[in-house]
Amino acid sequence: MDPKARSEKVLLIVNGKVAGNDALQTAVARQQAVGHSIEVRVTLEKGDARRFVAEAGGVDLLIAAGGDGTLNEVVHGLMDLATAARPVLGVVPLGTANDFATGCGVPRDPEAALALCMEGEEVPIDVGKANEHWFLNAASIGFGAQVTATTPPELKSLLGHAAYTVMGAILATNLHHYQGRLTLPDREITGAGPMAIVCNGRQTGGGFDVAPRARIDDGLLDVLVVREIPAMALLTAARELQELSPDGEYISYLQTPWAEAYTEEAIPVNLDGEPVRFSNVRYEAVPRAIRLILPPNCALLSATAKAFDDGDIPVT
């Protein structure tokens, strides 16, 4: 679709907490000055963004300006619509974490992000489903967002920065160990926990790269499973975190079109920043559910990832 034609009817949904952002207001004014018609609606309470999507008949481009929670609510609104009626989605990241947008390489600068929305290319991507809830980025259970200052130094030297931050988040959280099982097409994991992050995107917790193999257009979810880790097994778990094998004793990494979790009690789950509770939940990837504006060479797309693997795209 031609970007100029697409931008004829644009709705910008802004989280009310960032509506006064000067950079965003300037960016909108500049796009309007060059001829783009942008309607702006500001959320005041939970549910507004989803309602705005339902009321946005005939919109060509829908832009979510806010954090992961705002984006999640807009995605719920899009998934309420018939597939053919869903407008193209763009993102202006203005939240605290912006995990999904950051993983996709969307600019943090509002002017650059809005320009990308107006001029960029749309790509069909997957959406994650958890029972009747939707998530674009990740469903996480039991993982904190702080890196512990008491992590043994030998772990830090072994892991390196990226893996260290993930392990730090695991160790920093006082996990309540739930008894349950996680069922996938080819295996079942049982025991204390299992704690897991089910990812469509790659980052969560404010920048932790927990699913480095994730692609948002492959029809798969990436699942990081963490079982109860005894103190004497920390180094083993750290090595497993580096290897990301599906067969780790304490940490496993799997890719699957669906996964089902069953626990003896309801578990708090974070869906793109939105808290819910499940005792039984089916996670699944819904392929090519929405069209999203992404920067060129987005690392979360399968074609881009293959080009990197083949050496066609230089790494800078």
Side-chain angles (χ1 to χ4, degrees):
M1 183 181 295
D2 181 79
K4 292 182 180 178
R6 180 184 60 216
S7 65
E8 287 179 354
K9 190 169 184 181
V10 180
L11 175 62
L12 175 64
I13 297 177
V14 182
N15 185 307
K17 296 179 180 178
V18 297
N21 185 292
D22 291 339
L24 176 63
Q25 293 178 353
T26 299
V28 172
R30 287 180 177 171
Q31 290 295 334
Q32 292 172 331
V34 297
H36 292 297
S37 176
I38 303 176
E39 178 187 358
V40 180
R41 299 196 70 177
V42 178
T43 66
L44 298 178
E45 58 186 13
K46 185 175 176 61
D48 280 351
R50 189 171 185 172
R51 177 170 58 84
F52 292 164
V53 176
E55 297 171 351
V59 166
D60 300 300
L61 172 62
L62 182 67
I63 303 173
D68 291 312
T70 301
L71 183 58
N72 178 267
E73 192 171 319
V74 168
V75 168
H76 273 78
L78 288 174
M79 298 304 291
D80 288 339
L81 304 175
T83 303
R86 295 169 192 162
V88 177
L89 176 64
V91 184
V92 176
L94 291 171
T96 302
N98 305 306
D99 281 312
F100 182 76
T102 300
C104 290
V106 174
R108 290 293 300 265
D109 174 66
E111 184 171 357
L114 186 58
L116 173 65
C117 292
M118 305 304 294
E119 302 165 7
E121 296 294 327
E122 64 187 69
V123 179
I125 68 164
D126 309 334
V127 171
K129 188 176 185 182
N131 288 350
E132 299 307 312
H133 300 265
W134 304 99
F135 62 96
L136 196 54
N137 190 50
S140 57
I141 307 167
F143 287 81
Q146 299 295 324
V147 178
T148 178
T150 59
T151 303
E154 59 268 25
L155 282 184
K156 184 174 181 179
S157 60
L158 170 67
L159 289 169
H161 176 71
Y164 166 69
T165 57
V166 178
M167 179 59 78
I170 294 170
L171 297 177
T173 306
N174 183 17
L175 296 178
H176 175 83
H177 293 289
Y178 298 91
Q179 291 291 328
R181 74 180 188 274
L182 183 68
T183 301
L184 297 93
D186 61 347
R187 72 185 65 214
E188 184 170 279
I189 300 171
T190 61
M195 312 281 44
I197 301 183
V198 181
C199 294
N200 183 45
R202 186 173 294 177
Q203 298 183 359
T204 189
F208 296 142
D209 196 11
V210 298
R213 300 170 191 162
R215 308 286 180 255
I216 54 177
D217 62 348
D218 61 359
L220 299 173
L221 297 172
D222 287 44
V223 184
L224 181 71
V225 179
V226 181
R227 302 166 186 78
E228 185 174 2
I229 305 172
M232 65 181 65
L234 287 177
L235 290 177
T236 299
R239 293 189 183 96
E240 291 178 353
L241 185 60
Q242 287 184 311
E243 296 166 359
L244 293 179
S245 163
D247 302 313
E249 182 179 359
Y250 302 105
I251 296 177
S252 302
Y253 188 97
L254 310 107
Q255 293 179 298
T256 177
W258 61 266
E260 295 178 349
Y262 306 89
T263 55
E264 295 178 355
E265 56 184 299
I267 292 182
V269 178
N270 185 305
L271 296 176
D272 292 348
E274 299 303 305
V276 294
R277 295 182 72 88
F278 296 124
S279 53
N280 299 325
V281 55
R282 177 182 173 89
Y283 300 101
E284 58 186 291
V286 181
R288 303 172 68 90
I290 62 174
R291 294 167 294 153
L292 179 68
I293 304 295
L294 290 170
N297 301 331
C298 171
L300 267 65
L301 296 177
S302 299
T304 304
K306 184 178 186 305
F308 270 107
D309 293 339
D310 293 343
D312 296 336
I313 298 176
V315 179
T316 58

